[in-house]
Amino acid sequence: MAQKGFIEVDIECCKGCALCVEACPPKIKAIELRKKTNSKGYYPAQQINDLCIGCTACALVCPDSCITVYKLKK
């Protein structure tokens, strides 16, 4: 059984660079950019499904440390 996780994105910090979208494993693709801008005019990232496994790839590539990854205990 795959591990479950989820992310929390600081939407005011996120500049919408999409590095996290690209870093998310291909079979999971749990992240996309929002359709609505933040107060600075950027389209921040968001989790879009429950397939996140908590691998932390997105947080590791985020240049502004806007992503916190949580792993759910079983």
Side-chain angles (χ1 to χ4, degrees):
M1 181 175 189
Q3 181 172 316
K4 287 288 185 185
F6 68 95
I7 66 167
E8 190 173 89
V9 179
D10 179 346
I11 62 170
E12 290 305 317
C13 172
C14 181
K15 294 177 184 166
C17 69
L19 290 174
C20 56
V21 175
E22 295 301 317
C24 191
K27 291 184 179 181
I28 295 171
K29 287 300 173 197
I31 308 171
E32 72 177 12
L33 298 182
R34 293 176 185 244
K35 309 263 188 276
K36 185 178 177 185
T37 61
N38 61 16
S39 66
K40 297 173 186 172
Y42 297 116
Y43 294 93
Q46 68 178 353
Q47 184 172 337
I48 57 168
N49 60 41
D50 63 350
L51 299 178
C52 178
I53 58 171
C55 70
T56 72
C58 57
L60 291 173
V61 299
C62 181
D64 296 310
S65 301
C66 300
I67 302 173
T68 303
V69 179
Y70 298 95
K71 294 180 184 180
L72 302 176
K73 291 183 180 181
K74 296 178 185 180

